[in-house]
Amino acid sequence: MTDAETAKSTAVLDVRGLRFATEKNVVEAALGRRPGVLAVDVNPVAQTATVTFDPQSASIADLRDWVRDCGYHCAGLSVPRHVCAPLPGHPHGSVTDARQPSPAGSSPEVEQNHDMSGHDGMSANHAMAGHQHGEDGMSMAAMAADMRNRFVVALVFALIITMYSHIGMDILGLYLPIPFGIRGDIWQLLLSLPVIFWSATIFFSGAIAALRFRTLDMMVLVAVGIGTGWAYSVGVTLTGGGDVFYEAATMLAAFVLLGHWFEMRARGGANDAIRTLLDLAPPVALVERDGELVEIPTGEVQVGDLLVIRPGSKIPVDAAVENGDSEVDESMVTGESLPVHKTVGATVIGATINRNGVLRARATSVGSDTALAQIVKLVQEAQNSKAPGQRLADRAAFWLVLVALAGGLVTFLAWMVFSDEPVDIALLYAITVVVITCPDALGLATPTAIMVGSGLGAQRGVLFKNATALESAAAIGVVVMDKTGTLTKGEPEVTDVLMADGDEGLVIALAAAVERLSEHPIAEAFVAFAAERLDGVTPPAVLAFESVPGQGVTATVQGRRVAVGSKALMDGEGIDLGPLAAGWLSLATEGRTVMCVAVDGRIAAVFGVADAPRDTSRQAVASLRAMGVRVVMLTGDNAATAARIAEQLDITEVIAEVRPGDKAARVGELQAAGAKVAMVGDGVNDAPALAQADLGIAIGAGTDVAIETADLVLMRSDPLDVAIALEIGRGTRRKMRQNLAWAVGYNTLALPIAAGVFVPAFGFGLRPEIAALTMSGSSIVVAVNAVLLKRLRLPAPASTVA
């Protein structure tokens, strides 16, 4: 790693106040030209700016100061990111000083506040309340309400102006009396003032900010459209009167405000996942201190506190159970649909629900260290990141503004030169071109889909680390799955029972009595099997227990000599397998570990022990195949064991006996053949292969969601979630493409119509206010289409209640 790479830090600033998608250009321009700032990516849907900078040349405080130049306020609210939000009274706000705490133990390369516990004892719930409704800046809901109020004022005055305009008087026949006996155009001018100097101020101030930082965005287009029409009309009014179109300018403002009011409401729905996650944590915790139960804010819980969790209560923070027995619903965090049994020694996750029984648990992780905080961090990082396709859309949006301005000028000149229409008609068509060719939909097309897609994944325990992972998931053609711990449970269990003769229950009880004293994993698997078969009956006492290294154990149980172990142990004891010899050979050939049980010198039973497939592995393979994805099993086990598992799961491509260090090379071979490859593993032994793959998927992360190598983290140990992840990726890509196609197609068709190209031949054209409604409708279509991704049909959860 170079010194320059080492010096990089990243801050995620909350830039609440981005009313329009193209406003992000202002923030990117304001910060991007500052010393020490290496890259700036602004997400207008998430209302965030991800800033990569050199900490030797710039600091978080510097970023706050520079953001002041475009009018935003930075404040350290207790959400897992720095906050940079506008103050009321300014269209972009103003800046005041704020706290910027860094979480203990956080990486020096990521200057973020991930403290879920908040300041002054605030819980995650209170943190979210501050984030959504804080006085330091306008939330999405507050901005939508402000947009609504501006629209209502603009609409009322625009309608009144229209009644006194050429449309109302001459076309509709509304001959209304004009107060004070003044001229009609002067009366319209007076009525337009509240619209221009309040409702539409956000457009003018935004345009000034954009031009100040030498960028072009939608604000410039709308300001030019409204300002040109209104200024021309004022000029005509002040020079003696004539044809004016105050109604067009004010109705244009009203319709733009209407469209973006609806758009902002749709955008707000795209971030439901983060709000839902933050609302999961309970506001208070019941803690036992000095022998007394005390109810305290969750934010005040400390590592080592003894939590008392009653039935039906949410678990405040991650903890280890010290007393009690209960079922815990973890579905809201891990996506696991069935309750998980918890007893002494088990870990419980903050924000999950204790269904029955009282648990006493010692807090192990609080604040930014909890599983919930890390999940929120991963989801936000994905939502704040920029997909490769979005960068092209951003460049296209910038050039589209230039096309709109140039198109408006060319349209005006063409109508003046090649037609006999007066200047006001030429100006109307020019304004229409400027307004209708707006890149706002283009700016929303990708980030809105990413917000919804990553949030949809989080609700199912599928955590995409960035937007690139979402796009990569959509392109995967081959899924390589590690066997042990991924397709299989990673734990041995008894799969086959072959009896010689005699009482099966008695043989199992005798063998279990001996195996209870062994610490070998196979012995533990057999004891668990016996406990289930014997329905809790306690095995008899054992005498003269002796371990034979590498072969098994012998002991005396109820006066009988019992030997449990391999065939080598049986040979050493002089015991012939007799009628079970063929069964032993068959199990061994299929890759199972074979455990023999002899009683009083005679073979009694043979048990096959193997790492069994997960319950959903076969369904996962079938789902991936139905999606047209090849499934390859990659394992270090011998070919016989691999073949057995592959046959059970209907996997036709198997790569066995591969050392961990060679797995990456095998993935590379598949990529060299032209395939886009996803590697699914446990995130530790498979790290090189995960890094080599086009998409690295860590499965079964549980509470340890911070796996650096993987691009995608699956919270559950459920291979079916791989199919869910790829389906979400495909759905997100589909929405991104639909939105981009709509935005590009709309502008391609809208420009010639707005310019009046079809007026001479067909008499078909548009007025500026209709163009504004069309433009706003385009943005609404994009936002709503992305939100519809929530209705994506995904493979059914593996664990369902019958």
Side-chain angles (χ1 to χ4, degrees):
M1 181 178 292
T2 65
D3 293 340
E5 291 173 331
T6 304
K8 289 182 182 179
S9 290
T10 300
V12 180
L13 308 179
D14 189 333
V15 286
R16 279 176 284 156
L18 294 175
R19 292 178 172 88
F20 307 97
T22 54
E23 275 189 289
K24 67 189 185 65
N25 297 339
V26 175
V27 181
E28 289 180 346
L31 293 179
R33 298 188 180 103
R34 297 294 184 172
V37 176
L38 306 176
V40 184
D41 282 336
V42 176
N43 187 324
V45 183
Q47 300 274 294
T48 59
T50 302
V51 185
T52 303
F53 62 100
D54 180 358
Q56 302 299 321
S57 305
S59 65
I60 295 294
D62 292 330
L63 297 179
R64 292 205 309 269
D65 292 340
W66 294 334
V67 167
R68 178 187 302 151
D69 289 341
C70 53
Y72 288 90
H73 173 88
C74 290
L77 291 179
S78 48
V79 289
R81 53 183 164 183
H82 288 303
V83 176
C84 184
L87 283 176
H90 188 288
H92 292 293
S94 59
V95 176
T96 60
D97 191 21
R99 296 168 293 178
Q100 292 291 350
S102 297
S106 63
S107 168
E109 297 183 2
V110 183
E111 296 290 338
Q112 291 179 297
N113 176 13
H114 299 303
D115 187 0
M116 290 292 296
S117 63
H119 303 294
D120 305 322
M122 291 174 65
S123 70
N125 296 59
H126 296 97
M128 193 61 194
H131 174 61
Q132 291 296 313
H133 308 289
E135 297 179 359
D136 293 329
M138 296 177 70
S139 66
M140 183 67 77
M143 288 190 296
D146 178 66
M147 195 76 72
R148 177 200 62 208
N149 296 337
R150 291 175 185 268
F151 157 68
V152 170
V153 170
L155 179 64
V156 169
F157 281 96
L159 288 174
I160 298 174
I161 291 171
T162 300
M163 289 190 291
Y164 286 97
S165 69
H166 164 73
I167 296 175
M169 293 286 195
D170 299 335
I171 298 178
L172 301 179
L174 301 174
Y175 296 101
L176 303 176
I178 300 176
F180 313 116
I182 60 178
R183 285 200 330 253
D185 55 348
I186 295 178
W187 176 234
Q188 292 178 53
L189 169 60
L190 294 176
L191 289 172
S192 71
L193 295 180
V195 179
I196 301 301
F197 290 98
W198 186 68
S199 293
T201 51
I202 57 174
F203 305 125
F204 299 123
S205 58
I208 292 171
L211 295 174
R212 179 185 172 195
F213 293 106
R214 301 189 297 281
T215 187
L216 298 173
D217 61 12
M218 192 210 79
M219 298 294 233
V220 174
L221 296 183
V222 176
V224 167
I226 297 173
T228 302
W230 186 79
Y232 170 81
S233 300
V234 171
V236 171
T237 299
L238 297 180
T239 54
D243 291 332
V244 294
F245 36 83
Y246 291 109
E247 81 286 354
T250 53
M251 197 64 76
L252 169 59
F255 283 154
V256 173
L257 291 167
L258 172 65
H260 283 81
W261 171 34
F262 286 142
E263 174 207 311
M264 291 176 74
R265 293 181 63 181
R267 275 199 277 161
N271 203 19
D272 286 342
I274 290 293
R275 285 194 292 270
T276 301
L277 286 171
L278 286 171
D279 284 339
L280 287 177
V284 295
L286 192 61
V287 179
E288 186 175 304
R289 289 180 176 172
D290 299 325
E292 296 184 358
L293 295 182
V294 182
E295 195 173 76
I296 63 173
T298 299
E300 294 182 4
V301 175
Q302 301 176 2
V303 173
D305 277 344
L306 184 61
L307 307 172
V308 178
I309 308 158
R310 293 168 174 164
S313 298
K314 282 188 175 182
I315 297 168
V317 297
D318 298 354
V321 177
E322 291 192 355
N323 181 267
D325 189 275
S326 183
E327 302 290 325
V328 175
D329 181 0
E330 297 183 345
S331 60
M332 66 291 300
V333 176
T334 67
E336 179 60 59
S337 58
L338 292 179
V340 180
H341 183 71
K342 302 290 183 180
T343 187
V344 177
T347 59
V348 291
I349 307 171
T352 57
I353 300 174
N354 180 27
R355 287 299 184 193
N356 48 48
V358 177
L359 294 176
R360 280 179 164 78
R362 190 75 61 180
T364 56
S365 299
V366 300
S368 62
D369 295 326
T370 63
L372 179 62
Q374 293 186 54
I375 292 171
V376 171
K377 172 179 175 287
L378 284 181
V379 175
Q380 284 189 323
E381 286 176 350
Q383 294 182 339
N384 295 339
S385 63
K386 184 175 292 188
Q390 179 63 26
R391 303 185 189 280
L392 178 60
D394 288 346
R395 290 195 294 272
F398 175 82
W399 287 105
L400 188 58
V401 176
L402 288 178
V403 169
L405 294 173
L409 179 61
V410 170
T411 299
F412 177 78
L413 295 175
W415 277 93
M416 291 298 295
V417 173
F418 299 109
S419 77
D420 298 328
E421 298 290 346
V423 65
D424 60 323
I425 298 299
L427 191 59
L428 273 176
Y429 283 121
I431 292 172
T432 303
V433 168
V434 168
V435 171
I436 206 169
T437 317
C438 179
D440 205 44
L442 201 58
L444 287 172
T446 298
T448 313
I450 290 171
M451 289 280 288
V452 178
S454 57
L456 182 63
Q459 293 171 354
R460 297 295 295 267
V462 176
L463 305 180
F464 295 92
K465 285 196 171 182
N466 49 54
T468 303
L470 262 170
E471 282 200 339
S472 298
I476 294 302
V478 177
V479 170
V480 178
M481 287 188 161
D482 178 53
K483 180 183 74 69
T484 305
T486 300
L487 289 169
T488 67
K489 297 176 181 178
E491 300 173 353
E493 64 178 39
V494 176
T495 57
D496 301 271
V497 179
L498 302 178
M499 297 294 300
D501 51 28
D503 185 347
E504 178 180 319
L506 176 60
V507 172
I508 293 175
L510 293 173
V514 178
E515 291 289 73
R516 284 178 64 195
L517 302 181
S518 173
E519 296 180 353
H520 194 281
I522 292 179
E524 293 176 359
F526 186 83
V527 170
F529 162 77
E532 183 178 344
R533 284 294 184 95
L534 300 177
D535 196 21
V537 176
T538 303
V542 175
L543 300 174
F545 177 85
E546 181 181 354
S547 175
V548 182
Q551 296 184 11
V553 293
T554 61
T556 300
V557 183
Q558 294 180 333
R560 301 182 178 187
R561 180 172 173 76
V562 179
V564 182
S566 65
K567 185 174 182 297
L569 178 65
M570 299 297 108
D571 292 341
E573 293 283 319
I575 299 171
D576 182 35
L577 296 186
L580 298 182
W584 177 92
L585 181 60
S586 176
L587 292 176
T589 303
E590 291 175 358
R592 288 169 172 79
T593 299
V594 186
M595 188 179 79
C596 304
V597 178
V599 178
D600 292 334
R602 295 179 58 191
I603 189 69
V606 168
F607 297 92
V609 180
D611 183 8
R614 294 188 184 277
D615 297 335
T616 58
S617 291
R618 187 178 180 88
Q619 183 185 358
V621 172
S623 296
L624 289 169
R625 278 194 178 153
M627 296 167 62
V629 176
R630 287 169 53 199
V631 180
V632 178
M633 186 172 76
L634 184 66
T635 179
D637 275 353
N638 62 67
T641 301
R644 176 180 61 83
I645 296 295
E647 182 180 359
Q648 289 179 277
L649 302 182
D650 196 24
I651 296 176
T652 57
E653 295 184 66
V654 180
I655 304 176
E657 301 179 4
V658 180
R659 292 178 298 177
D662 295 334
K663 288 184 178 181
R666 294 304 181 96
V667 171
E669 291 172 4
L670 292 170
Q671 291 172 314
K676 293 292 184 181
V677 180
M679 173 66 196
V680 188
D682 62 10
V684 180
N685 296 329
D686 302 307
L690 291 173
Q692 172 67 37
D694 297 286
L695 181 69
I697 303 177
I699 190 172
T703 59
D704 183 17
V705 298
I707 298 178
E708 297 299 329
T709 309
D711 306 301
L712 172 60
V713 176
L714 307 181
M715 292 292 291
R716 303 184 298 174
S717 298
D718 190 344
L720 183 60
D721 286 346
V722 176
I724 290 174
L726 299 192
E727 193 62 57
I728 291 174
R730 291 184 178 188
T732 302
R733 182 181 64 178
R734 187 162 55 248
K735 289 298 182 185
M736 289 165 59
R737 288 179 173 178
Q738 289 172 356
N739 285 349
L740 288 171
W742 169 265
V744 172
Y746 158 80
N747 283 289
T748 302
L749 295 174
L751 184 58
I753 295 174
V757 171
F758 302 106
V759 171
F762 305 103
F764 177 66
L766 294 175
R767 288 182 59 84
E769 56 268 34
I770 302 303
L773 190 61
T774 305
M775 177 270 292
S776 299
S778 176
S779 298
I780 294 172
V781 167
V782 165
V784 170
N785 184 50
V787 173
L788 288 177
L789 181 61
K790 293 179 180 180
R791 304 170 75 175
L792 181 68
R793 296 185 64 180
L794 299 172
S799 301
T800 55
V801 180

